[in-house]
């Protein structure tokens, strides 16, 4: 059972006890060892990053800290005192607060009502509400955490909802704040603001644990960083003494290329032409406001943008299934032939016949049937393909053989076609989808968030496959909220904001700063050239100018 | 990963549920001062102890197989069709109309024609809720249950005002022509030189039901249509992504489901009563839900579950006949079985799962 772990950081114990100290924590779920002999020490008043691939055990470890799981062995010390965290109430009493990746807010309650939820003093709400109002005012001033206390949650932006979560924790007098992937849903500007809040909290003596898989965030904001790999804590180092490349290597256990190696594109004839595409949803809100796009054979067009600015609808319309009840306008041509937009004869099957492959944004809801075996998922969407059918029957033997071959070529692990899709890790699930769509050799491949929730090893592999398809002379439309991914893969970048293409850039001639501004709806005319290099946070995106007419 | 072995899931769980239901039934019987052992003996002997008992058990089971399969097909498209009762009643009307008004010289011709009539009427009755669900989003549970009442009322009207022979006081149709009577299993046994199941209603529809089990299995797990039904059942956005029309598949799945429920009429209307009577379905449509649940929505499981419920029906009848246990108590026993195997399935499953997990862990820890 005992596995040697001598990778702890070399910091000698300081006089002040650590805010959190874990000694030899182990936790197993059935045969899976999620955490193995974890040692961790988080000094008071520091920002501590925890980084690792999906399934490395980060979330399990934090759930132990917050009382969701009981460790099989090991000890937790908070401020030097040994403590048994049996449930989240104990954790809160010990001063630990948690901000989850998926917010736990009541959507139709106000900010104030959410703050006092569960800590009301007595049966009447009014006293606790007014008390909370006072505390909130103080916190807002202290940490730049301003939120309108009387606004209903569903009217708040995602960034503001996150602030409410942080305020909830602070209201419960948390000294130690755990944030699980906090920037996944934020714009660069919002993320920037969040980091300033976190720094403010640290300077006030709070301790912050930041779980993320984004190396840049770790480098930007943390004081110390711990790396987890396959349930073990493989390193704890000072951030100033490490580099992204080194951390990435520690995470996957070998050297990875963060930059995709690719030759310059050789674009040929246009494959997809989109002209003045408009879409109004069933509530009468215009979601696409005249999209014009050209994608040529042999190039990757990247679409950058904060999620929710029309990218999803664009993909769905191109994929043949516009949202229910929407009104559509404009023109789409594929290899010169007009494609139907909505209405009869327009569905995903028609698009596949026209030579369009589609890796959807959400593999768990659209891309895979999670309860189906891997081999059944290989025929998913292609259930009409002649090689998969024998008359009215499915040719299960042929599908299985094809699945085995694809899993082999795309290194899907475990290589068991009979395993249900839900039992594969995120990266391997995505590999199944990618293998299915790419191996069909489509003229145009639509890709949405290809590496969301995918570990670095698989990201690298998937990126290589995408570039290989481009080099084979295919057109690729890549939608991603990860700017790094857009920059690394695209031959051209179009930025979407509020249903519009804000502009096109070449990846070699732009910066994340400039793209960030475009993503926030700030066009060229509104900033001077020297703005381009600095972080987008300075554009005060919180009070966005109305989009230009 | 956190799963128990399949055999435990499929066999052990319903078995334990069944034992629990029996145990509580035994307590109830004790409480009214009767002997549970005697009761059990009466039931087993009455339902399984003779070819006569078996004849009735299999007859009831045939009904439940059809209604169970109907629930199952809809379930795989994630539609909860609880309109089996009405669809089977309408199937009966289809059988009656075909047999009364078409000149059919021999049962071998009458059977397939009546099957088409039964399935078509059952499917048509399922079509309206299906269409409303697919196009308008009216919830299928609400519409199918309402259609049960409409079917009952409509049949009442038709039997009293249209199909009742002149001069008859009985709200039932005329007898079907002699030539269309399908053979009972007794006749088949006699053909093989055996005496089996004298005076029992079980007929060759039982064999049709077994064939239907095989065909439904083929449909759901081997055909493209079955694949599309299962995709829709698991994820509607997934179906849309895959180019499968939810409207089309919803309607088709419900048509098949309604058709299967309608086919039950071959057994009770054509095979047994040989005329259409009021309330011919006798709740078999609802039993089908429990049968499908207990059979884990698999044709083989449905076959077994239908046999169990056939046993309960026949055994329960015997109990009322030979003991002083009141008829109502038999309904209680049947309800307990439904409660434990259907509704309280998780009550048994969860502890069992934990047990298997901890067993696995101690095994893993010993290494």
């Amino acid at each position: 059972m005992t596995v040697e772990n001598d990778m702890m950081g070399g910091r000698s114990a300081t006089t002040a006890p650590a805010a959190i100290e874990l000694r030899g924590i182990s936790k197993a779920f059935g045969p899976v060892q999620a955490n193995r002999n974890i040692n961790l020490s988080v000094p008071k008043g520091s920002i501590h990053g925890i980084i690792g691939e999906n399934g490395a055990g980060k979330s399990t470890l934090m759930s132990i800290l917050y009382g969701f799981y009981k460790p099989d062995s090991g000890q937790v010390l908070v401020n030097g005192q040994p403590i048994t965290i049996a449930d989240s109430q104990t954790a809160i009493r010990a001063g630990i607060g948690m901000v989850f990746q998926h917010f736990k807010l009541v959507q139709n309650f106000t900010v104030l009502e959410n703050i006092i939820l569960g800590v009301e003093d007595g049966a009447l709400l009014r006293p606790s509400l007014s008390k909370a109002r006072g505390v909130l005012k103080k916190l807002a001033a202290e940490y730049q955490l301003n939120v309108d206390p009387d606004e209903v949650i569903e009217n708040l932006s995602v960034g503001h909802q996150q602030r409410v979560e942080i305020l909830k924790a602070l209201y419960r007098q948390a000294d130690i704040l755990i944030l699980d992937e906090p920037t996944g849903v934020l714009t660069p500007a919002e993320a920037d603001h969040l980091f300033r809040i976190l720094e403010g909290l640290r300077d006030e003596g709070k301790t912050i644990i930041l779980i993320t898989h984004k190396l840049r965030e770790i480098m930007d904001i943390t004081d110390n960083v711990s790396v987890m790999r396959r349930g073990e804590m493989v390193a704890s180092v000072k951030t100033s003494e490490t580099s992204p490349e080194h951390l990435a290597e520690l995470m996957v256990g070998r050297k990875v290329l963060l930059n995709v190696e690719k030759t310059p594109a050789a674009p040929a004839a246009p494959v997809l032409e989109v002209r003045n595409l408009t879409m109004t949803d069933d509530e009468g809100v215009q979601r696409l406001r005249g999209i014009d796009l050209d994608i040529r054979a042999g190039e990757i067009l990247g679409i950058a943008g904060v999620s929710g600015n029309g990218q999803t609808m664009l993909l769905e319309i191109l994929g043949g299934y516009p949202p229910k009840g929407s009104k559509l306008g404009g023109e789409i041509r594929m290899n010169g032939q007009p494609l139907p937009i909505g209405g009869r004869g327009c569905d995903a099957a028609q698009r596949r016949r026209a030579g369009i492959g589609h890796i959807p944004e959400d593999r768990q809801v659209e891309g895979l049937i999670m309860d189906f075996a891997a081999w059944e998922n290989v025929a998913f969407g292609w259930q009409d393909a002649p090689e998969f059918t024998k008359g009215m029957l499915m040719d299960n033997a042929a599908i299985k053989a094809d699945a085995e071959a694809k899993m082999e070529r795309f290194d899907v692990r475990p290589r068991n076609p009979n395993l249900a899709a839900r039992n594969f890790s995120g990266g391997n699930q995505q590999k199944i989808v990618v293998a299915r769509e790419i191996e069909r050799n489509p003229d145009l491949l639509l890709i949405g968030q290809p590496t969301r929730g995918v570990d670095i090893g698989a990201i690298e592999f998937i990126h290589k496959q995408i570039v290989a398809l481009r080099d084979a002379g295919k057109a690729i439309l890549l939608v991603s909220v990860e700017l790094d991914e857009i920059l690394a893969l695209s031959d051209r970048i179009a930025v979407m904001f509020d249903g519009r293409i804000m502009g096109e850039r070449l990846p070699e001639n732009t910066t994340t700063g400039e793209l960030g501004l475009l993503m926030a709806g700030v066009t060229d005319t509104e900033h001077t050239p020297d703005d381009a290099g600095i972080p987008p946070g300075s554009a005060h995106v919180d009070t966005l100018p109305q989009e230009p007419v | 990963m956190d799963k128990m072995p399949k055999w435990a899931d499929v066999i052990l769980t319903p078995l334990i549920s069944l034992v629990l239901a029996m145990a509580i039934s035994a307590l109830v019987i004790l409480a009214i001062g009767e002997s549970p052992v005697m009761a059990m003996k009466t039931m087993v002997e009455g339902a399984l102890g003779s070819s006569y008992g078996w004849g009735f058990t299999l007859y009831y089971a045939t009904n439940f197989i059809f209604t169970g399969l109907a629930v199952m097909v809809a379930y795989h498209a994630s539609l909860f069709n609880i309109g089996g009762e009405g669809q089977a009643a309408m199937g009966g009307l289809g059988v009656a109309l075909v047999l009364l008004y078409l000149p059919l010289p021999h049962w071998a011709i009458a059977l397939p024609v009546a099957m088409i009539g039964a399935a078509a009427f059952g499917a048509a009755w399922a079509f309206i809720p299906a269409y409303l669900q697919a196009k308008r989003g009216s919830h299928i549970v609400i519409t199918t249950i309402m259609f049960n009442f409409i079917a009952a009322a409509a049949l009442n009207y038709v039997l009293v005002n249209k199909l009742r022979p002149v001069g008859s006081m009985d709200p039932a149709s005329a007898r079907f022509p002699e030539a269309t009577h399908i053979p009972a299993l007794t006749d088949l046994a006699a053909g093989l030189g055996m005496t089996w199941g004298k005076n029992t209603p079980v007929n060759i529809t039982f064999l049709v039901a077994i064939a239907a089990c095989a065909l439904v299995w083929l449909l759901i797990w081997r055909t493209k249509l079955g694949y599309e039904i299962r995709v829709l059942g698991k994820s509607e956005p997934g179906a849309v992504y895959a180019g499968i029309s939810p409207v089309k598949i919803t309607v088709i799945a419900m048509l098949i489901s309604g058709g299967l429920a309608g086919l039950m009429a071959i057994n009770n209307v054509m095979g047994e009563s040989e005329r259409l009577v009021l309330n011919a379905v006798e709740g078999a449509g609802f039993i089908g839900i429990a049968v499908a649940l207990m059979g884990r929505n698999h044709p083989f499981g449905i076959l077994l579950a239908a046999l169990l419920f056939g046993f309960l029906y026949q055994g329960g009848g015997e109990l009322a006949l030979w003991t002083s246990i009141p008829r109502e108590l038999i309904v209680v026993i049947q309800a307990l079985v439904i409660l434990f195997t259907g509704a309280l399935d998780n009550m048994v499953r969860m502890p069992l799962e934990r047990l298997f997990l901890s067993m696995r862990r101690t095994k893993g820890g010993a290494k």
Side-chain angles (χ1 to χ4, degrees):
Chain A
M1 241 358 249
T2 50
V3 175
E4 272 315 310
N5 189 339
D6 51 4
M7 299 294 286
M8 261 306 290
R11 271 191 319 281
S12 56
T14 46
T15 41
I20 294 238
E21 192 173 347
L22 303 179
R23 289 184 189 158
I25 296 282
S26 291
K27 174 76 190 170
F29 297 102
V32 180
Q33 192 77 34
N35 283 163
R36 179 172 298 160
N37 194 24
I38 301 278
N39 295 308
L40 176 71
S41 169
V42 180
K44 215 172 234 171
S46 72
I47 300 183
H48 194 108
I50 294 183
I51 193 163
E53 292 189 293
N54 288 353
K58 297 168 291 185
S59 298
T60 306
L61 191 63
M62 291 307 119
S63 300
I64 288 173
L65 258 184
Y66 202 57
F68 283 166
Y69 298 136
K70 246 170 53 193
D72 298 336
S73 61
Q75 205 177 16
V76 179
L77 288 87
V78 176
N79 296 324
Q81 300 297 314
I83 180 174
T84 309
I85 304 178
D87 52 28
S88 54
Q89 290 301 320
T90 322
I92 290 169
R93 274 199 299 276
I96 300 175
M98 183 122 174
V99 175
F100 293 93
Q101 194 175 1
H102 302 285
F103 307 145
K104 310 217 180 290
L105 298 170
V106 183
Q107 286 290 313
N108 50 359
F109 274 21
T110 65
V111 170
L112 220 46
E113 286 168 333
N114 268 286
I115 299 271
I116 62 160
L117 192 67
V119 287
E120 311 90 343
D121 319 313
L124 291 177
L125 286 185
R126 200 166 284 276
S128 18
L129 280 173
S130 61
K131 180 184 142 206
R133 192 181 295 276
V135 175
L136 219 56
K137 208 177 227 171
K138 224 180 85 218
L139 289 174
E142 240 173 300
Y143 303 115
Q144 304 183 28
L145 276 163
N146 0 22
V147 194
D148 177 1
D150 298 312
E151 188 57 271
V152 176
I153 295 295
E154 59 194 357
N155 297 337
L156 293 178
S157 72
V158 182
H160 279 85
Q161 292 190 19
Q162 192 173 52
R163 281 182 211 171
V164 178
E165 282 283 10
I166 295 173
L167 284 168
K168 253 171 77 179
L170 294 177
Y171 187 72
R172 286 157 180 72
Q173 284 157 359
D175 276 324
I176 301 156
L177 207 56
I178 305 171
L179 293 103
D180 189 5
E181 302 279 359
T183 60
V185 288
L186 303 183
T187 64
E190 283 175 325
D192 212 55
H193 192 119
L194 172 70
F195 289 163
R196 273 178 299 168
I197 293 171
L198 295 183
E199 279 163 357
L201 288 167
R202 177 201 40 204
D203 296 343
E204 291 294 319
K206 308 263 183 204
T207 307
I208 289 157
I209 299 179
L210 182 70
I211 304 168
T212 180
H213 65 269
K214 291 182 187 165
L215 291 168
R216 211 176 45 199
E217 291 173 2
I218 290 285
M219 297 309 294
D220 279 356
I221 182 169
T222 62
D223 301 312
N224 303 296
V225 52
S226 297
V227 184
M228 289 191 76
R229 186 172 74 223
R230 273 183 249 122
E232 295 183 45
M233 194 64 87
V234 291
S236 286
V237 291
K238 272 195 163 50
T239 311
S240 54
E241 290 164 7
T242 184
S243 68
E245 288 75 18
H246 182 227
L247 287 177
E249 198 185 323
L250 284 169
M251 271 164 71
V252 294
R254 65 192 160 85
K255 253 192 153 45
V256 286
L257 296 168
L258 268 185
N259 286 318
V260 183
E261 272 180 36
K262 63 183 175 80
T263 52
V271 173
L272 182 81
E273 297 159 272
V274 178
R275 291 290 171 270
N276 194 29
L277 183 66
T278 58
M279 188 277 242
T280 307
D281 69 14
D282 52 354
E283 288 170 0
V285 182
Q286 193 168 13
R287 306 300 292 269
L288 295 181
R289 301 166 186 267
I291 302 282
D292 291 298
L293 285 176
D294 276 312
I295 309 174
R296 293 169 174 278
E299 73 166 352
I300 300 175
L301 174 67
I303 295 202
V306 179
S307 57
N309 277 291
Q311 303 98 310
T312 303
M313 285 128 194
L314 179 65
L315 277 181
E316 287 176 350
I317 294 169
L318 293 178
Y321 53 101
K324 259 188 198 165
S326 55
K327 288 191 187 63
L328 301 150
E331 238 184 297
I332 305 175
R333 277 194 301 277
M334 175 80 189
N335 291 324
Q337 299 296 315
L339 286 182
I341 314 176
R344 277 198 165 273
C346 171
D347 61 17
Q350 185 270 334
R351 294 296 202 263
R352 289 194 175 85
R353 285 193 296 274
I356 300 178
H358 187 177
I359 298 170
E361 285 189 314
D362 192 336
R363 63 176 165 273
Q364 306 207 341
V365 173
E366 290 192 343
L368 294 167
I369 297 295
M370 299 300 277
D371 289 335
F372 278 19
W375 69 269
E376 283 182 294
N377 272 301
V378 164
F380 185 51
W382 303 96
Q383 65 275 6
D384 292 313
E387 65 269 33
F388 287 160
T389 51
K390 276 191 290 197
M392 278 170 66
L393 298 184
M394 302 288 284
D395 190 345
N396 287 355
I399 300 171
K400 259 185 201 169
D402 187 58
E404 269 165 23
K406 284 193 168 106
M407 289 172 86
E408 178 81 37
R409 278 197 293 276
F410 280 72
D411 192 26
V412 178
R413 289 180 214 183
R415 204 151 299 163
N416 177 2
N418 293 318
L419 203 61
R422 81 167 62 259
N423 294 332
F424 288 89
S425 72
N428 284 302
Q429 288 173 359
Q430 189 71 345
K431 278 186 185 174
I432 296 174
V433 179
V434 170
R436 182 182 74 209
E437 299 302 319
I438 283 188
E439 297 248 313
R440 282 275 150 185
N441 208 15
D443 288 343
L444 167 69
L445 183 61
L446 310 172
I447 309 179
Q449 320 298 352
T451 54
R452 177 183 280 171
V454 168
D455 51 71
I456 284 204
I459 288 178
E460 190 190 9
F461 183 85
I462 289 169
H463 283 174
K464 269 192 190 145
Q465 299 300 322
I466 294 172
V467 172
L469 189 71
R470 179 204 74 165
D471 291 343
K474 307 299 183 178
I476 290 165
L477 177 73
L478 169 73
V479 171
S480 175
V481 292
E482 301 287 344
L483 263 188
D484 292 339
E485 179 165 84
I486 293 279
L487 280 165
L489 280 178
S490 309
D491 299 313
R492 270 189 303 137
I493 300 172
V495 182
M496 250 181 118
F497 172 76
D498 196 25
R500 271 199 187 92
I501 302 287
M502 298 302 288
E504 274 191 25
R505 297 286 182 275
L506 295 175
E508 54 272 26
N509 297 339
T510 190
T511 60
T512 47
E514 188 191 16
L515 292 176
L517 283 177
L518 286 172
M519 283 163 67
V522 183
T523 48
D524 297 337
T525 50
E526 284 172 74
H527 70 93
T528 49
D530 25 305
D531 275 345
I534 64 166
S538 52
H540 295 293
V541 182
D542 285 354
T543 53
L544 264 188
Q546 278 305 303
E547 12 94 28
V549 186
Chain B
M1 53 173 187
D2 292 340
K3 279 230 175 108
M4 52 184 179
K6 196 159 181 177
W7 63 268
D9 182 55
V10 179
I11 298 170
L12 206 55
T13 316
L15 219 57
I16 294 175
S17 303
L18 199 60
V19 170
L20 282 174
M22 298 281 197
I24 295 190
S25 303
L27 287 180
V28 174
I29 292 171
L30 267 180
I32 62 166
E34 295 283 334
S35 155
V37 178
M38 268 306 293
M40 190 67 195
K41 222 174 134 204
T42 310
M43 280 182 82
V44 171
E45 270 174 14
L48 309 174
S50 64
S51 70
Y52 177 84
W54 271 101
F56 274 93
T57 300
L58 292 182
Y59 165 74
Y60 291 125
T62 307
N63 286 341
F64 303 151
I65 289 173
F66 280 116
T67 52
L69 290 176
V71 172
M72 167 201 157
V73 170
Y75 174 87
H76 277 285
S78 98
L79 298 163
F80 195 25
N81 176 17
I82 55 176
E85 192 79 9
Q87 289 144 17
M90 279 296 166
L93 182 61
V95 168
L97 293 178
V98 162
L99 295 183
L100 288 172
Y101 295 107
L102 292 182
L104 298 162
H106 189 269
W107 68 265
I109 299 163
L111 181 62
V113 176
M115 280 171 67
I116 292 169
F121 269 64
W125 205 243
F127 172 76
I128 307 168
Y131 180 84
L132 290 174
Q133 168 78 64
K135 281 282 190 189
R136 300 260 159 243
S138 318
H139 204 287
I140 200 121
V141 169
I142 310 287
T143 45
T144 48
I145 201 161
M146 290 198 299
F147 265 64
N148 286 339
F149 291 102
I150 303 176
L155 242 71
N156 205 335
Y157 170 80
V158 171
L159 281 176
V160 171
N161 296 301
K162 302 289 173 193
L163 288 182
R164 183 168 53 94
V166 181
S168 165
M169 299 282 282
D170 189 12
S173 76
R175 293 207 148 266
F176 302 146
E178 195 70 40
T180 65
H181 293 180
I182 48 176
L185 285 193
T186 314
D187 306 334
L188 287 190
L192 295 171
M194 293 185 289
T195 46
W196 185 92
K198 245 179 130 191
N199 297 325
T200 60
V202 66
N203 55 72
I204 55 169
T205 315
F206 178 64
L207 306 178
V208 178
I210 301 226
C213 283
L215 284 175
V216 167
W217 175 82
L218 198 71
L219 167 78
I220 294 294
W221 281 287
R222 285 295 180 273
T223 67
K224 195 184 128 222
L225 177 61
Y227 184 88
E228 293 179 338
I229 287 175
R230 285 185 296 127
V231 166
L232 177 66
K234 292 294 181 192
S235 161
E236 182 167 340
V240 171
Y241 160 81
I244 297 164
S245 160
V247 171
K248 188 177 125 192
I249 297 299
T250 297
V251 170
I252 291 179
M254 277 303 285
L255 286 178
I256 296 172
S257 174
L260 282 165
L263 276 176
M264 183 198 125
I266 298 298
N267 190 44
N268 66 337
V269 177
M270 187 183 190
E272 198 260 338
S273 59
E274 293 170 349
R275 59 185 185 139
L276 186 59
V277 296
L278 258 188
N279 189 24
V281 186
E282 291 183 301
F286 293 115
I287 299 288
I289 300 167
V291 166
L293 269 174
M294 193 177 178
R296 323 270 321 136
N297 287 294
H298 190 285
F300 186 65
I302 285 174
L303 179 62
L304 294 182
L307 286 171
L308 171 73
F309 277 90
F311 157 76
L312 284 176
Y313 251 58
Q314 171 56 16
E318 293 285 317
L319 212 53
L321 199 61
W322 300 111
T323 68
S324 54
I325 297 174
R327 178 139 210 121
E328 287 69 28
L329 199 74
I330 286 111
V331 182
V332 170
I333 295 172
Q334 286 162 358
L336 279 169
V337 172
I338 293 177
L339 189 70
F340 273 91
T341 58
L344 296 182
D345 193 47
N346 274 338
M347 195 179 77
V348 173
R349 183 178 310 276
M350 309 267 256
L352 207 60
E353 234 166 45
R354 270 201 292 275
L355 183 75
F356 270 95
L357 272 179
S358 68
M359 265 163 59
R360 193 175 299 170
R361 192 168 314 151
T362 49
K363 227 192 281 169
K367 273 187 219 166

